[in-house]
Amino acid sequence: MKSIVAKPLLVKSMFKKTALVLCISQSLMACQNKEANAEVESVVNSATVEQETSTQILPFSDPTNSGGWVLNTEISDEFDGTEIDQEKWFVQGANGDYYIWKGRAPSQFAPHNVIVEDGFLKLRSQWEPDFEFANENYADGKVDAKYGSLANGDPMPITTAAIVSNKRFLNGYMEIRSKAVNASMTSAFWAIGYQSELDIYEQIGNPKIIGDIKPDQSKSTVHDWSPPAKRPTRVFHHKENLPYRVADEFHIYAAEWGEDYLNLYLDGKLLQRFTQKELGDRWVLNNPLEIWLDSEIFAWLGMPNKEELPADFEVDYMRVWQKPTPELLDRAFFGFEGPILFQENKRPLKLVPENSENNQYQKFWDIDANSANYATITKEQRITGLRSLKIAADKDATDELIKVSSPEKAVRLDKGDYRFSMRLWVDTSNSLSEFNVTVNNANGDDAGFVLAPFNLSEIDHAHKAQWITVSQDISLNAPVANDAKLTITVDPSQIKDASALFYIDDISVVKQ
């Protein structure tokens, strides 16, 4: 046997004591069996047992942790035990509840098809004529089918399964070890957030029609769900032709999602890289995402046969890592990309990605009716992401203060020293002398802080019409009040000549 270099940082026995899974040397790529063979165990056991209590599991493409990854344990799952962890996962159909949809008709998600056994998650698809299908249709493009039957009324009583992470996250490394269902059913590892969708992969093990996805292919796609959110929503994608059928073997699939890039990996090897610089407005991955694992019928790839069911989409583990950040504010919200999330509250079951309504789970910037004439969230200028806050007003246009406020609880700071900063783009025509930023509660008392006015008149011509950073230091003697909100205020009387025109992006607070 050739010499083997063990990678104990990827020893899965830290989570599964009964099944030692080792991913060793890049030449071996991915482990294909649940138990490492005895010869491999004899080489690595002495090294791994000692490190079992101190070594962290790391991305397969970064076994030395050069990226500084930290496992997000609220979302990651090794699928030990005998049932799904509903603290981490929403199970479609559990207690009669469905989030967003019931599945792609004619198949329907059923909670009893979510199975955890022998250290695996199994999302089962099966033929169940006695299942009580929903008496409704689901229209998907050109396909309009009823749950449990075809459009022509012929029975198609197929149940399947889906789980959704209860928590969302902004940027990270997502990795799964899985094998697709061996039927004309999809197996998907994907994620959605505000106005966005990332399909790390869609696979189909045994399609009856060879079309958009082949049995030896993995398809990755990003969708833009901003209104009007009508198909086609795809903005970019990648198809990888594989030297194996996805239903035959376990492999490790991953996506590294950064602030302005997306890397796709297979068994630790980089397949494709996308960047915001290259994609421009097609880069829509700017808000927190939630993980979905599911199986569906894609009618355009053919219907499964009764004889090939039941069959399982099998998942060994699903892990998410993130990089620590000093940022203390919600980066997506204070970058004007989307809502701030209050994840201590449950998501509304009808919260589709294109929804821009305030509710207990998501809240947006508050701009009153008068201020909305002069303050807008726009794509005209931005330093990161797609959006920024635009302030534009003519002299004497209004006597009222222009105010833009965050929701309560958007700024949560303990006592201590901080640096407040933001990015500004000031037009050469701007004659507004200053604007203000405050953080306090509805009573306006000393429950927060008031920054010195940001003086725009001091910005020389050479630094206008480009993004600059402005900052102030803050010293808090007490925590910010729980009901405090951040407010940006423009006094129109401070417009000295014709007009005010400037943009704000990436408001930030870090500990000093």
Side-chain angles (χ1 to χ4, degrees):
M1 181 179 180
K2 294 182 179 179
S3 60
I4 297 174
V5 179
K7 292 186 177 178
L9 291 179
L10 291 167
V11 175
K12 196 170 178 195
S13 58
M14 291 185 294
F15 292 85
K16 297 182 185 292
K17 302 299 183 183
T18 60
L20 179 63
V21 179
L22 296 171
C23 294
I24 52 177
S25 89
Q26 283 294 67
S27 63
L28 291 181
M29 299 304 288
C31 301
Q32 304 303 316
N33 300 310
K34 191 66 179 180
E35 291 84 19
N37 62 54
E39 187 172 7
V40 172
E41 286 184 345
S42 67
V43 175
V44 299
N45 273 352
S46 60
T48 59
V49 170
E50 293 177 1
Q51 300 188 34
E52 193 169 287
T53 59
S54 61
T55 303
Q56 63 184 119
I57 288 183
L58 297 169
F60 190 49
S61 67
D62 188 8
T64 62
N65 202 17
S66 61
W69 301 106
V70 176
L71 190 70
N72 183 332
T73 57
E74 288 188 312
I75 301 176
S76 303
D77 204 330
E78 302 298 311
F79 302 113
D80 290 324
T82 57
E83 60 184 21
I84 195 72
D85 183 354
Q86 295 194 46
E87 292 295 315
K88 292 184 177 182
W89 299 101
F90 176 89
V91 177
Q92 289 283 28
N95 303 312
D97 291 332
Y98 286 90
Y99 171 46
I100 300 180
W101 66 335
K102 296 180 175 66
R104 197 180 302 271
S107 61
Q108 182 174 331
F109 299 140
H112 59 264
N113 285 333
V114 177
I115 300 163
V116 175
E117 62 182 14
D118 301 326
F120 288 90
L121 168 69
K122 299 178 181 179
L123 298 180
R124 184 155 295 167
S125 296
Q126 53 186 327
W127 189 273
E128 290 195 272
D130 295 330
F131 182 78
E132 188 174 342
F133 287 90
N135 186 25
E136 57 189 78
N137 282 40
Y138 176 79
D140 178 30
K142 297 179 180 179
V143 178
D144 188 354
K146 188 174 181 179
Y147 289 108
S149 62
L150 301 176
N152 64 7
D154 290 346
M156 187 58 65
I158 294 176
T159 61
T160 184
I163 60 173
V164 188
S165 67
N166 286 324
K167 296 292 186 181
R168 292 185 181 184
F169 64 97
L170 181 63
N171 302 132
Y173 190 104
M174 297 158 272
E175 182 177 287
I176 193 171
R177 182 173 181 266
S178 63
K179 182 173 70 171
V181 58
N182 190 24
S184 193
M185 302 287 298
T186 65
S187 299
F189 172 32
W190 55 298
I192 61 171
Y194 178 67
Q195 297 188 357
S196 57
E197 175 182 334
L198 166 60
D199 301 337
I200 298 97
Y201 70 62
E202 289 176 299
Q203 301 172 349
I204 186 162
N206 189 22
K208 297 300 180 289
I209 300 171
I210 301 300
D212 187 42
I213 313 174
K214 299 177 176 60
D216 57 353
Q217 194 175 67
S218 191
K219 178 182 177 183
S220 304
T221 311
V222 170
H223 295 270
D224 179 0
W225 287 107
S226 57
K230 293 182 179 180
R231 298 175 186 276
T233 57
R234 186 179 76 187
V235 287
F236 59 93
H237 78 290
H238 172 74
K239 290 182 182 179
E240 185 70 17
N241 295 321
L242 306 169
Y244 57 86
R245 290 180 69 252
V246 292
D248 288 345
E249 304 174 0
F250 279 93
H251 285 268
I252 297 173
Y253 305 89
E256 181 182 347
W257 167 40
E259 183 177 355
D260 58 1
Y261 70 91
L262 177 70
N263 293 342
L264 301 175
Y265 294 87
L266 171 63
D267 293 332
K269 178 183 177 182
L270 178 65
L271 298 179
Q272 185 71 24
R273 178 177 175 86
F274 300 95
T275 67
Q276 181 180 9
K277 183 178 181 180
E278 296 169 338
L279 295 166
D281 284 355
R282 290 184 293 155
W283 179 261
V284 297
L285 300 176
N286 301 306
N287 284 281
L289 298 175
E290 62 199 22
I291 296 289
W292 286 63
L293 300 172
D294 71 8
S295 286
E296 308 167 27
I297 285 179
F298 281 6
W300 55 94
L301 297 177
M303 296 291 175
N305 297 328
K306 176 181 178 180
E307 293 71 25
E308 64 185 339
L309 301 175
D312 296 336
F313 169 25
E314 297 183 72
V315 179
D316 186 0
Y317 62 79
M318 196 293 300
R319 299 169 184 159
V320 172
W321 292 265
Q322 293 181 277
K323 296 181 180 181
T325 173
E327 180 56 60
L328 298 175
L329 299 184
D330 185 291
R331 186 161 55 81
F333 178 77
F334 285 97
F336 302 96
E337 297 301 326
I340 189 169
L341 303 179
F342 294 92
Q343 298 198 65
E344 63 272 23
N345 301 320
K346 290 186 177 180
R347 291 172 302 218
L349 294 178
K350 295 183 179 181
L351 183 66
V352 294
E354 57 266 36
N355 183 294
S356 294
E357 299 174 353
N358 286 306
N359 54 53
Q360 64 179 5
Y361 182 75
Q362 67 173 23
K363 294 185 183 298
F364 295 81
W365 286 94
D366 181 18
I367 307 175
D368 62 47
N370 173 70
S371 298
N373 294 315
Y374 315 103
T376 56
I377 294 175
T378 178
K379 293 183 179 181
E380 292 177 4
Q381 295 284 351
R382 69 287 182 124
I383 183 66
T384 59
L386 287 180
R387 300 174 177 87
S388 68
L389 175 66
K390 176 183 180 181
I391 306 291
D394 294 332
K395 184 176 176 62
D396 302 325
T398 178
D399 295 328
E400 299 181 43
L401 295 177
I402 301 168
K403 290 188 174 183
V404 178
S405 295
S406 74
E408 295 179 355
K409 303 181 181 181
V411 179
R412 304 183 186 188
L413 300 175
D414 292 327
K415 66 178 182 179
D417 297 326
Y418 302 91
R419 172 155 293 181
F420 176 97
S421 66
M422 59 184 164
R423 311 297 289 273
L424 291 181
W425 193 100
V426 182
D427 192 74
T428 55
S429 67
N430 176 75
S431 65
L432 177 72
S433 59
E434 63 183 33
F435 69 94
N436 293 282
V437 176
T438 60
V439 173
N440 51 36
N441 61 13
N443 297 324
D445 57 24
D446 293 332
F449 55 88
V450 177
L451 295 168
F454 285 91
N455 193 326
L456 300 182
S457 61
E458 292 183 351
I459 300 174
D460 59 37
H461 187 81
H463 291 93
K464 289 186 176 181
Q466 61 181 291
W467 286 101
I468 61 173
T469 301
V470 297
S471 64
Q472 294 185 32
D473 290 339
I474 309 164
S475 185
L476 299 178
N477 296 322
V480 170
N482 190 49
D483 60 347
K485 58 177 65 177
L486 183 147
T487 301
I488 299 165
T489 305
V490 173
D491 183 349
S493 68
Q494 297 295 316
I495 302 175
K496 301 305 181 184
D497 294 319
S499 63
L501 178 57
F502 68 102
Y503 300 81
I504 298 174
D505 204 357
D506 293 348
I507 299 173
S508 169
V509 173
V510 298
K511 186 83 172 176
Q512 289 281 74

